[in-house]
Amino acid sequence: KIGYLDWTKCTRIKKPFFFLVLLSFLTFAQERSEALIIQGKIFTVSYNELYEQPNWITYCVRNVPKNVDRKGYNFRKDAQVWTSNNADYKNNIWDKGHLAPAAAFSDSEDNLKETFSFLNCTLQHQRLNRKEWAQLEQQVRDWAEAFGDMSVEVDVLFESNHRVLPTGAHVPSGFIKRIQFPDGSTK
């Protein structure tokens, strides 16, 4: 939360103290969290502002009809969280990989739009994102159709020697996706 100074009470403060308070306030405002928990409309995410990547995300895949096409949607930043941005994905092999997949939430424009947040985005090698990751996302949707609501948790892993882009974003070393079926069993 951001604090506000009551400027009407600042007139009696001597200038050196005032500048010290202002400098401390600005320094505090620029601190980044390693585990900011954000409860969104369709997912909960732990976001690492230092790495500019999620730590983990949880969401539920339901058997819902696809009503909205994702064409024309772009990822957006959250004004209150220090996230990655378009520069991190420019002219390289990294895709903007959805963690909570757009296709699982294309039942409404609001839900689909919610997936296009950098809070739900990770640097994913384009081959992984477009092949095995996409296939696994489709499999979870198929299971939701066959068995009911599927709970999903994705952990984003960073080894000690992971890659850091020139833009400052950290590239995940891997991912663990846990899927819970309605009967409580997991994959």
Side-chain angles (χ1 to χ4, degrees), residues 4 14 26 54 59 68 99 103 114 136 139-140 144 153 175:
Y4 295 94
K14 294 181 181 179
L26 292 174
Y59 57 93
V68 183
L99 290 178
E114 191 79 8
L136 181 55
Q139 182 63 62
V140 173
E153 181 177 320
F175 304 90

Side-chain angles (χ1 to χ4, degrees), residues 94-147:
W94 309 111
D95 274 357
K96 296 173 187 167
H98 280 89
L99 290 178
F105 298 97
S106 61
D107 58 316
S108 73
E109 285 189 38
D110 286 344
N111 285 348
L112 184 60
K113 182 180 178 184
E114 191 79 8
T115 69
F116 281 90
S117 164
F118 280 107
L119 295 172
N120 181 42
C121 180
T122 188
L123 288 155
Q124 252 182 17
H125 193 284
Q126 59 191 8
R127 285 188 306 232
L128 173 65
N129 186 48
R130 299 172 193 182
K131 294 190 180 193
E132 289 87 358
W133 196 259
Q135 291 168 355
L136 181 55
E137 289 173 343
Q138 181 59 56
Q139 182 63 62
V140 173
R141 289 191 298 278
D142 292 346
W143 284 332
E145 183 178 348
F147 304 112

Side-chain angles (χ1 to χ4, degrees), residues 16-30:
F17 180 73
F18 173 75
F19 287 121
L20 179 61
V21 170
L22 184 58
L23 181 60
S24 297
F25 177 76
L26 292 174
T27 301
F28 174 75
Q30 293 174 352

Side-chain angles (χ1 to χ4, degrees), residues 54-118:
N55 295 311
W56 55 259
I57 194 166
T58 61
Y59 57 93
C60 182
V61 176
R62 294 183 168 88
N63 181 24
V64 293
K66 180 179 179 179
N67 295 324
V68 183
D69 188 350
R70 68 184 280 170
K71 187 176 181 178
Y73 283 86
N74 294 309
F75 280 88
R76 69 188 188 295
K77 289 184 59 74
D78 183 304
Q80 298 184 5
V81 182
W82 188 278
T83 64
S84 62
N85 59 52
N86 288 321
D88 300 319
Y89 300 88
K90 189 174 181 179
N91 299 325
N92 60 36
I93 59 172
W94 309 111
D95 274 357
K96 296 173 187 167
H98 280 89
L99 290 178
F105 298 97
S106 61
D107 58 316
S108 73
E109 285 189 38
D110 286 344
N111 285 348
L112 184 60
K113 182 180 178 184
E114 191 79 8
T115 69
F116 281 90
S117 164
F118 280 107

